[in-house]
Every structure is written in structure tokens, then in C-alpha cells.
Amino acid sequence: MILYGKPVADALLDNAASKIDNLAGKTPKLVIITNPNDPASQVYAKNKIKACVLCGINVETIAMPENSTTQQYLNLLAKLNQDKKVTGIIVQLPIHKTADEKIVSSAINKEKDVDGFLKDSYFPPCTPAGIIHMLDFYKGKGFLAGKNAVVIGRSEIVGRPMAKLLLDRDATVTICHSKTENLKDFTKHADVIISAVGKPNFLTSDMVKPNACVIDVGINRVNGKLVGDCDFENLKDLCDITPVPGGVGPMTVATLVHRLPILYQKQLQKEAEHEK
Ligand code: GUN
């Protein structure tokens, strides 16, 4: 079975749009801080803007000039954190190399952290959260319990939080990475494989057991075409697999958009409590 992201993402976006309708004319606002030198960052931002506009969310993008320093990012974030009109803030990664990504990402106010990158965020990061939602949709909520799950990649925004969410669903989890020896020994026994590597054709059909469930988080460009990490053509008849594009990508975006009316209502509640 091909696990398409779009129907699941569309349902989430519909839900977000109806929550926004219920705000009686009040409109949440998202600010996206982008790095115009990074083409991938621009594509992600464009998809987020499109989905927000569809749901009736205001969006502003701020393109950081080349050579921006950590302090310049921090000054901008301090202003946006204070701004009552701003519901959510995204610093689209990767940022300019002249600034420190960790310091910048952690300067977003928790109340506005729509990405879920802070240690004490209200939400987990969007990509792993979207993947769990997608697995729930296609396989049912109890599916992961007792399953052997292999996550390939150990990044802060995908691999590590993914492993935690799988563990929270009672899967048996292994995190593999660039230094893992004999990767195939792990993947071959996996019921669920999450590949977040960033290399085209990395996961091939000899590495996957029949009827496994493969989630492809890779976004790679080959001859101008967008492809994932997996040999999709040879895997699609062997196991369940997400396509690239059209799999995990729309889920990341919809998960993010869905959080804006939630944050907005939390902020309204806080304000009301302050005024009491
Ligand atoms: N770069 C790649 N994925 C993401 C994401 O989900 N959020 C942000 N801010 N940057 C990213």
C-alpha cells in the first residue's frame, strides 16, 4: 500500500480551518524567518505559507540578510516574542552559517513555539508528530505496540524525537545512524522503518522485510527531481511506503498549521487570566 500524506493532511487542515472559523473573525498570525540563500528552506516556507492562507491564517515572512549574526536573530525574535499580534514563530532551518542555530532556535517564546523545538514545548517537533498521526490513520492506533521500529538518523528535529514518540507508543526502538555497522541487519528485522538520511536510493528492497512499513523522510534533488531516501519503485510492491513528494512533507506542514489555532486559544486564555 502507498501511504499518501495528502488525505491525512487535508483532514487536519480542514479541522484547523474550522477551528479558525470559530474564532469569530479573529485571525492567528504566523511569522516565518527564512534564509533566502537556502533553496530547501524557501520550498518548505512556501508550502507552509500556502497551507496557512488556505486555512485563513495570516503569514508574514522575514528574509534574514546574508551574514546575519546570532544577535541580529535574537533582536528580531525579542520583538516578535513581545508582539501580541504574532501567534507563532518559525525560524526555518538551516539558518545563515554566521549565526548559531541552537541559540537562535531556543530564543523563541514557548507560547509561540509552533515547531516544537524547545525542551519544554507544548508539542513534539512537527515531522515525527505528523508521522505518528499518519501511522494512526492508516494502521490504527494500537499498531505500533510491540513492533520492531528502526529509525535511521539521529537529528534533533527528526531522528531523536521520532524514537521517543515510537517508544511512547510501546514500539521496540533502535536508532541507527551514519556510524552504524551492518545497517541491513537492523532494517531487515524491522516492522517499521523511518528513514531520515538525506541520500537518494539509500534504502533498497534487499534491506526491507516483506510487508514492513517504510516512512521516507528524505528530501533529495536528483536531476531537478524531488526524491526520498528509498528505492520507491522496487519497495512499493514489497511493503507499505510513503511517496516523496506527497508523503511525509504534507503531514509536517498540516501538523504545524493545526497548532496555530491551539496556540492562539492558549494565548487568549492567558491574557484573560492576567486581566482577572
Ligand atoms: N527545516 C527542515 N524541517 C524543518 C521544520 O520542520 N521546521 C523548521 N523550522 N525548519 C526545518
Side-chain angles (χ1 to χ4, degrees), residues 45-65:
K46 212 176 84 194
N47 291 338
K48 289 171 187 173
I49 294 166
K50 210 169 116 190
C52 280
V53 170
L54 258 172
C55 291
I57 294 167
N58 289 334
V59 199
E60 183 188 350
T61 41
I62 300 175
M64 289 304 278

Side-chain angles (χ1 to χ4, degrees), residues 83-174:
D83 187 341
K84 284 206 165 104
K85 288 196 200 75
V86 175
T87 316
I89 305 167
I90 294 176
V91 178
Q92 192 62 47
L93 305 178
I95 64 172
H96 290 292
K97 292 207 166 39
T98 42
D100 186 314
E101 202 159 277
K102 268 207 167 139
I103 296 176
V104 170
S105 289
S106 58
I108 295 173
N109 189 323
K110 173 182 164 176
E111 310 301 322
K112 303 192 178 187
D113 175 28
V114 65
D115 257 324
F117 286 173
L118 297 174
K119 285 210 164 44
D120 61 344
S121 287
Y122 291 124
F123 313 105
C126 293
T127 298
I131 290 170
I132 294 287
H133 190 84
M134 201 177 182
L135 287 171
D136 285 349
F137 178 89
Y138 281 108
K139 308 294 261 177
K141 272 210 162 160
F143 166 72
L144 285 166
K147 291 285 190 294
N148 203 354
V150 168
V151 179
I152 318 174
R154 54 177 158 176
S155 71
E156 300 287 346
I157 64 174
V158 182
R160 288 167 201 241
M162 185 77 249
K164 182 181 179 303
L165 294 185
L166 290 164
L167 194 57
D168 289 346
R169 290 299 182 94
D170 297 324
T172 304
V173 183
T174 308

